[in-house]
Amino acid sequence: EVQLLESGGGLVQPGGSLRLSCAASVSTFSDYGMSWVRQAPGKGLEWVSGISASGGITSYADSVKGRFIISRDNSKNTVYLQMNSLRADDTAIYYCTTGYYYHFEFWGQGTLVTVSS
Amino acid sequence: EIVLTQSPGTLSLSPGERATLSCRASQSVTSSYLAWYQQKPGQAPRLLIYGASSRATGIPDRFSGSGSGTDFTLSISRLEPEDFAVYYCQQYGSSPRTFGQGTKVEIK
């Protein structure tokens, strides 16, 4: 089983930046595509971004394209989400999950991002 | 973008009853790349079904998935107290990956 631990969330002002990290406890991290999924308070799930196992292919939801950047460091078993130009509607719990070309099998517990002045 | 529409929005049932949840896609889902997730309050989602009908590891056999193309169904044969939760469908065959808006299964 894969365990995922997100970090980096917090309170940020509109227009600001945050970088989320997700550390995976698995020896075969480089075999897994990874995704970020968010959930605004009281709302449903929204896929945000995904990255292939090698890191060579990335994809984004239209709502974050041009503002967020997903990356990974397979030597550190970690995937990142750099979030720039944050807006109030980016406020959500951000979940890291295994999966990109396939189903999202393992999920972290999430990290809360609040965008507010 | 493939839009997934789940129905009903809320399902009120008693323990022991059968639950049938629907997920309809705005266009055909590639290779039945359709998954179902369960989410309880304050918890991360949990994978139940992938490939439209394959149960994930450790998922009880009272959960079953079916369908293809644009119409998919999640069935729970006999509701247990721990099954009352929100259920989401998701397609992962096309980009962007998309989720349905969720169906809440509540105790009647």
Side-chain angles (χ1 to χ4, degrees), chain B residues 7-98:
Chain B
S7 61
T10 302
L11 199 50
S12 298
L13 295 168
S14 300
E17 289 192 295
R18 181 182 184 86
T20 303
L21 287 65
S22 174
C23 176
R24 179 161 291 177
S26 59
Q27 54 190 281
S28 185
V29 175
T30 303
S31 302
S32 293
Y33 283 168
L34 192 286
W36 290 92
Y37 302 86
Q38 177 194 67
Q39 188 179 34
K40 297 179 182 179
Q43 296 185 16
R46 178 175 71 145
L47 175 68
L48 299 175
I49 301 289
Y50 63 94
S53 61
S54 298
R55 269 189 304 277
T57 302
I59 301 304
D61 61 6
R62 63 180 181 274
F63 291 91
S64 63
S66 63
S68 64
T70 61
D71 288 299
F72 299 88
T73 300
L74 174 70
S75 298
I76 311 171
S77 58
R78 294 172 308 280
L79 283 164
E80 297 288 341
E82 62 269 27
D83 299 336
F84 291 92
V86 179
Y87 293 83
Y88 295 94
C89 60
Q90 180 228 2
Q91 67 81 22
Y92 50 96
S94 302
S95 197
R97 310 330 188 199
T98 49

Side-chain angles (χ1 to χ4, degrees), chain A residues 56-99:
Chain A
I57 296 174
T58 59
S59 183
Y60 301 90
D62 285 345
S63 58
V64 307
K65 199 172 293 182
R67 299 187 300 123
F68 290 11
I69 300 171
I70 190 171
S71 62
R72 65 189 296 159
D73 184 338
N74 285 346
S75 68
K76 296 183 178 179
N77 283 13
T78 301
V79 62
Y80 305 97
L81 187 67
Q82 177 67 42
M83 305 187 296
N84 302 319
S85 303
L86 283 161
R87 311 185 303 220
D89 62 0
D90 294 318
T91 294
I93 296 172
Y94 284 73
Y95 295 103
C96 169
T97 176
T98 60

